Amino acid sequence: GLDLMDTKTGMFTHFRNNIKDTTSISNNDIYVIENGKNNDLWVGTHNGLNKLDEKTMHFKRYLANNLHFHFVLNDSLGNLWAASDISLFKYDKNKDSLSIFGKEGIAAFWIAEDHEKNLWLNTEKGIVKLNLQSKEIILYGKNQGVKGVSLKSGYTRHNDEILYGNT
């Protein structure tokens, strides 16, 4: 589950899945926590993506149908991206919904943005560069020296280098 600590009082609020309450968090296995551009708190779980309404302290669930959300990124243009075990999703603020971006079937575990506003994805097939303006997709795989098929973590350095971790 998710635990929120009030650092002033030392007290915790515990968020747990309750199958009878659709405003509870969708799953107790948490993979990622990200603060959105509008101070929304996004939580990726073993069963969907959740957004916490801090006024009501309830969650709105997105795609809570056994999708594992591994990473959430707010890009420099204010877009929210979510990486799952089936695809990359983009959040539409106006519709308050997530939709698949590009082709379904590219499981993504981590996302980064470079200074040219390209997205970089860690996937089971290798490293994917996604040019959002031209929609061009470039796969860096074994032919380019990518070792490992489970690139599950990464870190963007200030000089536009990206470090990748695999298992």
Side-chain angles (χ1 to χ4, degrees):
L2 182 68
D3 299 307
L4 171 67
M5 179 185 181
D6 182 330
T7 58
K8 292 177 185 159
T9 65
M11 299 299 293
F12 281 85
T13 301
H14 306 285
F15 300 98
R16 300 292 181 264
N17 173 258
N18 178 345
I19 58 173
K20 296 178 182 177
D21 181 3
T22 59
T23 66
S24 70
I25 197 163
S26 63
N27 191 274
N28 291 327
D29 294 333
I30 309 296
Y31 293 140
V32 63
I33 302 168
E34 177 69 22
N35 202 38
K37 292 282 185 195
N38 297 327
N39 255 357
D40 299 323
L41 185 71
W42 292 88
V43 182
T45 74
H46 186 76
N47 186 30
L49 189 65
N50 302 262
K51 180 171 68 170
L52 178 64
D53 181 333
E54 292 198 43
K55 291 177 188 154
T56 64
M57 298 304 273
H58 291 118
F59 288 91
K60 176 162 184 187
R61 298 176 181 181
Y62 299 85
L63 304 171
N65 51 354
N66 291 322
L67 285 182
H68 305 175
F69 281 89
H70 303 283
F71 199 82
V72 176
L73 170 80
N74 288 287
D75 71 16
S76 61
L77 300 174
N79 297 307
L80 182 99
W81 301 91
S84 81
D85 55 352
I86 68 157
S87 195
L88 176 67
F89 289 85
K90 184 178 181 184
Y91 177 68
D92 184 326
K93 291 176 233 169
N94 297 324
K95 294 180 182 176
D96 192 25
S97 65
L98 289 170
S99 59
I100 290 176
F101 187 85
K103 296 180 180 179
E104 185 173 350
I106 300 176
F109 301 102
W110 185 78
I111 314 166
E113 180 184 27
D114 66 20
H115 74 283
E116 295 176 352
K117 305 199 183 334
N118 298 304
L119 294 185
W120 293 83
L121 313 174
N122 287 14
T123 75
E124 291 177 338
K125 297 179 185 200
I127 298 166
V128 172
K129 177 183 177 184
L130 176 58
N131 183 314
L132 297 175
Q133 293 179 344
S134 70
K135 306 288 191 245
E136 178 185 30
I137 297 172
I138 299 172
L139 173 65
Y140 298 89
K142 291 181 183 178
N143 292 340
Q144 290 77 26
V146 175
K147 297 181 187 238
V149 292
S150 290
L151 299 166
K152 302 240 174 156
S153 64
Y155 177 76
T156 306
R157 296 174 53 158
H158 66 279
N159 60 359
D160 273 341
E161 291 178 330
I162 302 174
L163 299 167
Y164 293 96
N166 63 52
T167 57

